[in-house]
């Protein structure tokens, strides 16, 4: 009888372990599906926010062009900064120019703008995070600027997409900026795809963040994930 009871209890314990393994497997599968769905939903939400901000920037740039007769041009280039989560490197020069040109906060990131006749800001034309005062509203193209679309990186304020990364912006080069032989205008090497400006967000792409818009002409696969104006 003792032998029979031991055998019965042994079979019961074995069945319980199998059952637990099945339950754990099902829970793991459900967790994986839930996390996958959550990741997809978060990515979609960030892309929607990016698209909305993207369209607002385009409208504001057209207002700027109407007001001043040209699109703003970044004062510098290749201002490379690392951003989380993967610490990929991004150029913030275009995003800094956009912030100042469309909010009126500062002017040192906009090429050709000097003094307070076009914009205000802190010392030396740097942005101070405020858009108050007469000097700072002359080129204020955004009626409102929510905290979610700009941030401060170091001492510079920049416009960011839904992923927390800087928007990319390059103004097209003029075809008459230089004169060659026989006073013929030189044709500069193109730096943009559009004849006005290129604007884009790398979106969830953290592999090609040092690539420029012009690189997408020779390799269109680079910009598959980007949100762009070409």
């Amino acid at each position: 009888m003792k032998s029979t009871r031991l055998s019965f209890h042994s079979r019961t314990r074995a069945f319980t372990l199998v059952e637990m393994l099945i339950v754990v497997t099902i829970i793991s599968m459900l967790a994986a599906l839930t996390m996958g769905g959550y990741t997809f939903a978060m990515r979609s939400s960030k892309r929607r926010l990016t698209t909305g901000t993207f369209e607002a920037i385009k409208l504001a740039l057209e207002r700027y062009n109407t007001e001043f007769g040209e699109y703003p041009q970044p004062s510098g280039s290749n201002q490379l900064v690392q951003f989380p989560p993967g610490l990929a490197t991004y150029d913030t020069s275009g995003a800094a120019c956009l912030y100042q040109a469309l909010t009126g906060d500062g002017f040192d990131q906009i090429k050709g703008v000097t003094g307070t006749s076009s914009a205000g800001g802190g010392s030396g034309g740097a942005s101070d995070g405020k858009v108050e005062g007469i000097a700072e509203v002359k080129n204020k193209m955004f009626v409102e600027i929510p905290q979610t679309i700009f941030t401060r990186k170091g001492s510079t304020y920049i416009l960011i997409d839904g992923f927390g990364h800087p928007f990319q912006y390059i103004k097209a080069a003029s075809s008459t900026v230089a004169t060659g032989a026989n006073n013929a205008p030189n044709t500069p090497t193109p730096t943009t795809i559009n004849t006005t400006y290129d604007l884009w967000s790398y979106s969830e792409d953290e592999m090609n963040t040092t690539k420029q818009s012009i690189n997408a002409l020779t390799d269109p696969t680079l910009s598959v994930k980007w949100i762009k104006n070409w």
Side-chain angles (χ1 to χ4, degrees):
M1 292 297 293
K2 289 182 180 181
S3 176
T4 302
R5 284 197 298 271
L6 286 174
S7 177
F8 174 76
H9 290 309
S10 177
R11 286 196 300 271
T12 302
R13 285 195 298 271
F15 177 77
T16 302
L17 288 174
V18 171
E19 187 177 48
M20 289 178 61
L21 288 174
I22 293 174
V23 171
V24 169
T25 301
I26 293 174
I27 292 175
S28 299
M29 292 174 62
L30 290 174
L33 290 172
T34 302
M35 288 301 297
Y38 174 78
T39 301
F40 177 80
M42 287 297 296
R43 184 169 62 246
S44 297
S45 176
K46 291 177 180 179
R47 284 189 68 91
R48 285 194 298 270
L49 176 58
T50 301
T51 300
T53 307
F54 185 87
E55 295 301 323
I57 291 174
K58 290 199 301 181
L59 290 174
L61 282 171
E62 293 308 317
R63 289 182 59 198
Y64 187 100
N65 184 46
T66 299
E67 180 72 21
F68 299 104
E70 63 179 349
Y71 295 103
Q73 181 173 349
S75 61
S77 60
N78 293 321
Q79 298 175 7
L80 302 179
V81 180
Q82 287 186 324
F83 283 76
L87 292 181
T89 300
Y90 297 81
D91 183 2
T92 61
S93 56
C97 172
L98 288 174
Y99 172 82
Q100 290 189 345
L102 305 184
T103 67
D105 177 25
F107 57 86
D108 65 328
Q109 299 294 325
I110 311 172
K111 188 174 182 178
V113 177
T114 58
T116 58
S117 59
S118 296
S123 176
S127 301
D128 58 9
K130 302 175 182 178
V131 286
E132 301 173 350
I134 297 175
E136 295 198 283
V137 299
K138 290 187 177 181
N139 65 315
K140 185 177 179 180
M141 302 299 142
F142 280 140
V143 177
E144 295 180 350
I145 178 167
Q147 181 68 42
T148 54
I149 71 170
F150 76 96
T151 190
R152 184 177 181 178
K153 199 69 174 177
S155 60
T156 306
Y157 286 85
I158 58 175
L159 290 188
I160 57 174
D161 59 20
F163 296 82
H165 301 143
F167 276 101
Q168 302 297 304
Y169 168 77
I170 301 178
K171 180 183 177 181
S174 171
S175 60
T176 58
V177 293
T179 301
N182 301 320
N183 293 323
N186 286 333
T187 301
T189 301
T191 57
T192 58
I193 296 176
N194 296 314
T195 58
T196 51
Y197 65 86
D198 288 353
L199 174 68
W200 73 97
S201 159
Y202 292 110
S203 191
E204 67 264 36
D205 182 6
E206 294 187 4
M207 299 296 295
N208 300 299
T209 58
T210 58
K211 300 295 183 180
Q212 300 295 311
S213 54
I214 196 69
N215 299 133
L217 282 180
T218 55
D219 185 4
T221 61
L222 288 176
S223 61
V224 170
K225 295 181 179 180
W226 302 358
I227 296 173
K228 49 193 184 291
N229 72 333
W230 68 85

